[in-house]
Amino acid sequence: MRFERREDVSVTALLVAPFAAVLVALVLCAGLIAMAGVSPLTAYAGMLKGAFGSRLAVTETLTRASPLILTGLAAAVAFRARLWNIGGEGQFYLGALTATALGHATVTALPVPLAWATLALAGMAAGALLLLIPALLRLKFGVDEVVTTLLLNFITLLFVGLMVETVLKDPMAFGWPQSVPVAAGLRLPDLVPRSRLHIGLILAVVVVLIVWLVQSRTVFGAETRAAGLNPRAAAFAGVPITATLVKVAILSGALAGLAGVIEVLGPVGYVTTTMSPGFGYAGIVVAMLAALHPLGVVAASVFVATIFVGADAMSRATGVPSFIADVIMAVALLAMLVALLFTTYRVRR
Amino acid sequence: MTAAFDILANASLWEAVLRIATPLIFGVLGALVCERAGVLNLGIEGIMTLGAMVGWLSVYWGADLWTGLAIAVLAGMMMGWLHAMLTVPLGLSQHVSGLGITLFASALAYYLYRLWVQVGDLPPTIEPFRPWPIPVLSGIPFIGQVLFTQMPPTYLAILAVLLVAYILNRTPAGLALRMTGENPHAVEAQGLNPVRIRIWAVMAGSGLMALGGAFLTTATFNSFFPTMVQGRGWICIALVVFASWRPGKALAGALLFAFFDAYQLRLQTMVQGVPYQLFLMAPYVLSIVALILVARRARVPEALMQPYRRGER
């Protein structure tokens, strides 16, 4: 058996790949659900109902999807240039922390739209700076950015813990380690009344559209693709590889930082060290399921959010541990990798 | 200030160094075996988590401690097999596959733990390994306590370093493995199968990683809890680079690392007014610094992360 590169990748194959991967993941995980003494069909039906069964459920799923769109997009733009940003989790937290630190009092004097812009830019700058460290370490010293971005996640989380227990500690939180709240006037308005869904979702989708246009219509987008496909050939063709990777790092880190900003200004309102249920890591799965395409990121985010919100509800009803969501996601990621292989290679005997 | 030095003269610090180093030694050896054959295994963090859970659960269900470790190794090898299948015959991105294995192995560990273990207010415990003083040698003042009053898997870790170094550098199998990491086409020309060698190397390395994880739940602690591996796997990946892919240096790196960790733990209780988070950051910051220091000089296996396809260059 050997693999042969296909001359051209069909769009249909790329569209089918994520669905095939998800199907494989659901079939494989059915065995694990059956081990819990619950029929997999009942469990999956329960997950669908939990994620879409009521108005509240739908808004919860979309609330969960909002930051995922941005962390997924952060991973997608970086991976496209073969910049392995695994630090989305840390960048998310640093963005959230920055928005809270400034949003508690500093920017409250500004008119609300200006204050929002300031917080968004500050959070994006924080995320971008955090990714610039490993990006520059790779470009200057050849240090693999996978390990450094991963290690920076741990460092950042400890730093957030330090901040919420000291200078940003909320004295009204009865000893809970949580930060001071963002000024009430700065919280993002709800999209649907009496829900947690906020206009951050709209913002995330708009950002996706902008990134899509930039990637498909500008020189920078073409350079990103070239740098990812074959850096040596790209450099030979005159693509400034270093400058492109620095720009990609700034963009990717900023997107993950923005995810933290909308989560703080939207549903949460303050920072804790447990505020992210792995948004950064799930963003990697989102990016891969989307085949690194910005528009695919939106669909993949809603899918991943469905699995998580649905699994929580299903777990309460049936007793199947909610960690099944993490297993489904991981298997879907691995299956997607294999599916992508078959879109670019064919098997010859 | 003198107190900070007094810690160094205390044998209990040095005894702790070896104990803290043990999971790192297994992990870094495992990563090293995979990488010398040309495969980066970022599944390490998840494989250590799964090893920790499986080893603990086996003992909780009545197996003895050594059987628990053996079952953990088997679980690790199964994950290694999966990573090897995806990255070697299929030639998929080692970065993404490895991260996928980490997500999968840790999610599976948490899921099965929740499914099979009733957790009350506190996680259930097992009877862990006890220190095993080596007769006569443990009687030597200071050195006896530091080197010869350790838990049995710690001695095993030191033996594993010697064994891996011997196999890699002195046996035909080791030569074939190293060659696969440098130039798989040359291996093929010798009539050996580089694909098979890589698969076995990744499985063996993953078994070692799982052993490191299992040490945490059967020796360091006596229970399993989520996120207990705490980035040790990633630190091991950094240590392999720091060690220039050599087993002896890997041992030295793990010990140096464990020394800083043991030292900061003791300093934490002494120094007032410094937030504990700064101490906890130290190992991660140190790993990054170590990577920067050696990055320029590191001699990476030539074919690391290069998928091997017969007849394709």
Side-chain angles (χ1 to χ4, degrees):
Chain A
M1 188 179 91
R2 48 190 300 161
F3 295 99
E4 197 173 85
R5 200 174 263 280
R6 289 178 198 267
E7 279 85 46
D8 51 350
V9 179
S10 81
V11 178
T12 330
L14 266 180
L15 281 176
V16 170
F19 292 96
V22 166
L23 192 68
V24 167
L26 292 179
V27 170
L28 289 178
C29 291
L32 286 174
I33 295 172
M35 278 165 67
V38 175
S39 146
L41 285 179
T42 315
Y44 288 144
M47 283 169 74
L48 259 185
K49 190 161 164 272
F52 294 112
S54 65
R55 201 188 67 116
L56 181 71
V58 176
T59 60
E60 272 304 302
T61 304
L62 292 177
T63 306
R64 182 69 80 99
S66 308
L68 268 177
I69 293 174
L70 291 170
T71 55
L73 192 62
V77 295
F79 286 11
R80 197 171 259 259
R82 296 266 173 96
L83 178 76
W84 301 106
N85 174 16
I86 318 297
E89 191 78 3
Q91 293 142 22
F92 172 94
Y93 270 108
L94 207 57
L97 189 74
T98 309
T100 309
L102 297 176
H104 175 59
T106 313
V107 300
T108 42
L110 296 171
V112 172
L114 206 58
W116 277 341
T118 313
L119 294 182
L121 284 176
M124 288 165 79
L129 275 177
L130 192 59
L131 183 55
L132 269 179
I133 301 169
L136 290 176
L137 286 180
R138 166 174 151 188
L139 293 168
K140 293 273 170 218
F141 300 101
V143 179
D144 184 41
E145 74 276 20
V146 173
V147 184
T148 42
T149 48
L150 277 164
L151 292 168
L152 277 170
N153 286 344
F154 290 89
I155 295 172
T156 309
L157 199 58
L158 285 165
F159 177 69
V160 171
L162 172 61
M163 289 294 118
V164 301
E165 280 178 31
T166 53
V167 285
L168 287 178
K169 188 179 168 63
D170 185 358
M172 314 296 278
F174 304 105
W176 287 102
Q178 81 180 39
S179 77
V180 288
V182 170
L186 289 178
R187 298 289 296 274
L188 298 177
D190 289 343
L191 209 55
V192 176
R194 285 172 291 112
S195 80
R196 301 200 312 147
L197 186 62
H198 52 91
I199 57 164
L201 176 67
I202 309 282
L203 176 74
V205 174
V206 169
V207 170
V208 164
L209 292 174
I210 294 171
V211 169
W212 178 49
L213 283 177
V214 167
Q215 274 190 349
S216 55
R217 296 286 142 86
T218 65
V219 176
F220 168 64
E223 285 175 345
T224 312
R225 271 175 60 81
L229 286 173
N230 189 339
R232 276 169 67 189
F236 191 68
V239 173
I241 296 289
T242 305
T244 304
L245 284 180
V246 168
K247 283 186 218 160
V248 169
I250 290 173
L251 176 62
S252 175
L255 289 169
L258 185 60
V261 175
I262 66 161
E263 191 67 0
V264 154
L265 297 184
V268 183
Y270 51 86
V271 175
T272 67
T273 52
T274 52
M275 72 180 288
S276 162
F279 283 128
Y281 299 106
I284 297 164
V285 181
V286 166
M288 291 311 295
L289 283 177
L292 309 187
H293 195 287
L295 297 184
V297 161
V298 178
S301 302
V302 174
F303 164 72
V304 170
T306 304
I307 297 288
F308 272 106
V309 174
D312 277 344
M314 184 273 290
S315 178
R316 281 191 297 274
T318 62
V320 176
S322 60
F323 282 117
I324 193 70
D326 300 80
V327 184
I328 293 174
M329 238 179 39
V331 178
L333 169 66
L334 293 173
M336 183 65 187
L337 264 181
V338 178
L340 279 175
L341 177 79
F342 288 113
T343 62
T344 43
Y345 282 85
R346 66 163 65 92
V347 183
R348 276 283 158 83
R349 297 203 176 271
Chain B
M1 204 57 213
T2 50
F5 283 112
D6 284 348
I7 303 175
L8 295 176
N10 194 335
S12 78
L13 168 84
W14 299 99
E15 188 194 340
V17 167
L18 263 174
R19 189 175 61 241
I20 294 171
T22 305
L24 296 175
I25 296 172
F26 284 124
V28 74
L29 274 184
L32 186 145
V33 169
C34 297
E35 291 182 31
R36 283 306 281 267
V39 181
L40 175 70
N41 190 349
L42 293 180
I44 182 168
E45 184 83 7
I47 291 171
M48 288 181 87
T49 308
L50 186 66
M53 202 288 281
V54 170
W56 179 88
L57 189 68
S58 308
V59 178
Y60 181 66
W61 277 350
D64 67 283
L65 288 160
W66 290 104
T67 313
L69 293 187
I71 296 173
V73 170
L74 283 180
M77 288 177 81
M78 281 167 65
M79 284 297 147
W81 177 83
L82 186 58
H83 182 58
M85 280 299 139
L86 294 171
T87 54
V88 184
L90 294 182
L92 297 171
S93 158
Q94 296 182 4
H95 277 128
V96 186
S97 170
L99 290 168
I101 297 285
T102 280
L103 292 177
F104 176 55
S106 39
L108 192 66
Y110 302 154
Y111 179 80
L112 293 177
Y113 180 77
R114 273 294 160 78
L115 189 61
W116 285 333
V117 182
Q118 291 297 320
V119 183
D121 293 336
L122 288 169
T125 56
I126 57 166
E127 193 59 43
F129 278 108
R130 300 237 164 266
W132 196 49
I134 292 180
V136 186
L137 290 174
S138 59
I140 308 171
F142 197 84
I143 293 180
Q145 190 191 341
V146 172
L147 294 180
F148 303 113
T149 317
Q150 293 289 342
M151 283 178 278
T154 302
Y155 303 125
L156 184 67
I158 306 294
L159 283 179
V161 175
L162 297 173
L163 195 68
V164 169
Y166 176 78
I167 292 176
L168 276 182
N169 299 321
R170 295 274 184 275
T171 66
L175 179 64
L177 188 148
R178 283 185 289 133
M179 229 166 107
T180 310
E182 300 288 342
N183 187 345
H185 299 281
V187 175
E188 177 96 52
Q190 291 286 319
L192 296 168
N193 185 344
V195 171
R196 194 171 299 163
I197 292 171
R198 281 191 170 172
I199 293 174
W200 278 108
V202 174
M203 286 176 69
S206 303
L208 283 169
M209 294 168 181
L211 199 52
F215 183 84
L216 291 174
T217 46
T218 58
T220 314
F221 307 102
N222 56 3
S223 56
F224 175 80
F225 46 92
T227 72
M228 71 183 305
V229 176
Q230 284 290 332
R232 282 183 180 85
W234 311 131
I235 288 171
C236 287
I237 295 287
L239 279 176
V240 181
V241 182
F242 181 69
S244 298
W245 289 268
R246 296 182 165 280
K249 285 188 177 175
L251 173 65
L255 288 173
L256 183 70
F257 215 84
F259 163 73
F260 282 117
D261 210 19
Y263 192 65
Q264 65 90 5
L265 272 172
R266 279 155 181 76
L267 219 51
Q268 227 182 93
T269 53
M270 269 178 38
V271 183
Q272 301 296 314
V274 181
Y276 69 94
Q277 287 97 343
L278 290 181
F279 288 105
L280 292 181
M281 277 181 206
Y284 308 110
V285 176
L286 214 63
S287 300
I288 295 177
V289 172
L291 279 175
I292 298 169
L293 287 179
V294 298
R296 278 264 183 255
R297 287 178 289 129
R299 219 194 71 64
V300 188
E302 278 292 316
L304 181 61
M305 290 192 271
Q306 307 281 327
Y308 173 75
R309 289 198 181 93
R310 194 176 299 168
E312 199 179 280
R313 288 252 149 191

